Amino acid sequence: MAVSGIIMLLYLVAHMIGNLKAFAGRETFNSYSHWIRTIGEPAVPAQTFLTIMRILLVVTVVAHFWAAISLWRQARRARPQRYVTKKPAAQSYASRTMRWGGVIVLAFIVYHILDLTLGVANPEGPGTTPYDRLVAGFSNPLVVAFYTIALVLLGMHLRHGIWSATQTLGQSNKRREKTVNHFALAFSVLLIGGFLIVPFSVLLGIID
Amino acid sequence: MTATREGATFATGTAGDDPAMEKHDMTLTLRVWRQKGPQHKGKMVTYRVTDISPDMSFLEMLDVLNEQLILAGDDPVVFDHDCREGICGSCGLMINGQAHGPEQTTTCQLHMRKFKDGDSIDIEPWRASAFPVIKDLSVDRRALDRIVQAGGYISAPTGTAPEAHSILVAKKDSDAAFDAATCIGCGACVAACPNASSMLFTAAKVTHLGLLPQGQPERNDRVVNMVAQQDREGFGGCSNIGECSAACPKGISMETISRLNHDLLGALRAGARPKS
């Protein structure tokens, strides 16, 4: 759970920084996208780096889900008879939405790949440049709304996930507990803010 | 002066006769989980109790209920209790959806002044498949004993108390070990956990022994065997939500869970494997 989460988290940081190239204009954004597909050429065939990344990410997503589902099932087995009355005392909204939030984020990732990577769910369609798909997709307020909901859920997922991973890897203690939680919150807000600034800039006409 | 005043108070008679005290007595509606035995299906049954003093403990309030039931020829409500001073870990009830009720203490140390006249209180047993209900509110918590048997001990012959200076323990470590050792094994952590995990209990034992010199020889085997045993008992997994620590009457910190995981990863790297 923790290790696969951290790998995906590192990917998200790179992804978010890459997205910000949309502000540098059409040429820069498209050439960045082209560069990712040609890293290492001609020493290695085209798309080598990208394919390795994709395999790594699919493996980590599967591992993350496998761990989550086994924990979920274990928890259900551990309490077959639920409480008539149960009042939460300490849990955050973030920790409560980890499971269903994770499922929604997965559905979002599938849509996101169909929309911007493959282009099949995009108004511009496949075979267009990444920049065109970006502008076309985010010109629709409904698409931006869905991205916002999914990304806020992802942000909460990370807010609890970073803390939880620190615990699982045995790196937390009483002194660090507050720092880790503050860091998790600040990191999630920054990351999700970085992701959301692009769709909102398209919607508001800053990027066109 | 003080003596005179006390004398005056006593002169007015017992608290029960004092009209000022009487108006504080409460009438409560209790919804209690009644279950005849492990194989029976249980249900919530509503009772009314009157003349409950705010100075009673929660268990004394249940004693009043049971006296009513016995006088009426009904079966009294079974609940676990022993020392009634917050140190044995026997009592433990889910009160209005919170383990040990609205205060972070044991059920026996919870007082009725925490409730208001006319309140409705839901009382349920700890719910976990590893804690099967014996009857009513009493559950079988031997699963926790078996976790301790799996490694929560030291096998060094201790003999009489050794010279305190012969093995030095850092103040920071002895304090943290003692904090973990305050765990009374009541099971509130399991009851409060959305996953019904016993992680805080096991972590308290691992931390308590792992921080002290006497705990070192078996440190690796202890953590892998205790974690394997808690899985075998059918407890859930930990997702670091923190309900356990918030419900713990001894305030065992989430830090112990991190320490358990740290020890566990170290032990597995060092080649320690659970006994099958």
Side-chain angles (χ1 to χ4, degrees), chain A residues 132-181:
Chain A
D132 289 336
R133 290 199 292 273
L134 177 88
V135 173
F138 292 147
S139 298
N140 183 346
L142 285 177
V143 173
V144 176
F146 179 51
Y147 268 75
T148 309
I149 293 168
L151 282 168
V152 168
L153 272 172
L154 175 64
M156 293 198 298
H157 200 85
L158 294 177
R159 190 249 160 274
H160 180 73
I162 291 170
W163 147 250
S164 190
T166 318
Q167 282 277 104
T168 303
L169 297 175
Q171 297 304 314
S172 174
N173 60 37
K174 225 179 255 176
R175 205 160 38 82
R176 284 188 207 158
E177 200 174 306
K178 223 177 219 154
T179 319
V180 170
N181 275 300

Side-chain angles (χ1 to χ4, degrees), chain A residues 50-69:
Chain A
L50 198 63
T51 310
I52 293 172
M53 278 305 289
R54 282 172 175 166
I55 293 170
L56 179 71
L57 284 172
V58 167
V59 169
T60 51
V61 168
V62 169
H64 204 68
F65 265 81
W66 175 80
I69 289 166

Side-chain angles (χ1 to χ4, degrees), chain B residues 114-193:
Chain B
K114 282 277 160 186
F115 299 90
K116 288 196 303 287
D117 185 32
D119 272 0
S120 175
I121 308 174
D122 285 5
I123 309 168
E124 292 178 74
W126 290 166
R127 293 202 191 280
S129 53
F131 288 167
V133 170
I134 299 168
K135 192 176 176 181
D136 297 334
L137 302 172
S138 171
V139 297
D140 181 352
R141 282 170 293 178
R142 279 178 297 176
L144 296 183
D145 298 341
R146 289 188 290 269
I147 293 175
V148 169
Q149 281 165 9
Y153 53 81
I154 58 162
S155 59
T158 49
T160 52
E163 158 61 35
H165 291 297
S166 61
I167 305 172
L168 296 175
V169 181
K171 170 91 167 93
K172 177 168 69 71
D173 291 341
S174 75
D175 282 354
F178 194 84
D179 283 348
T182 56
C183 166
I184 50 178
C186 64
C189 44
V190 178
C193 176

Side-chain angles (χ1 to χ4, degrees), chain A residues 187-204:
Chain A
F187 181 91
S188 308
V189 167
L190 267 179
L191 186 82
I192 299 307
F195 272 123
L196 283 177
I197 197 167
V198 175
F200 275 96
S201 298
V202 174
L203 196 66
L204 298 174

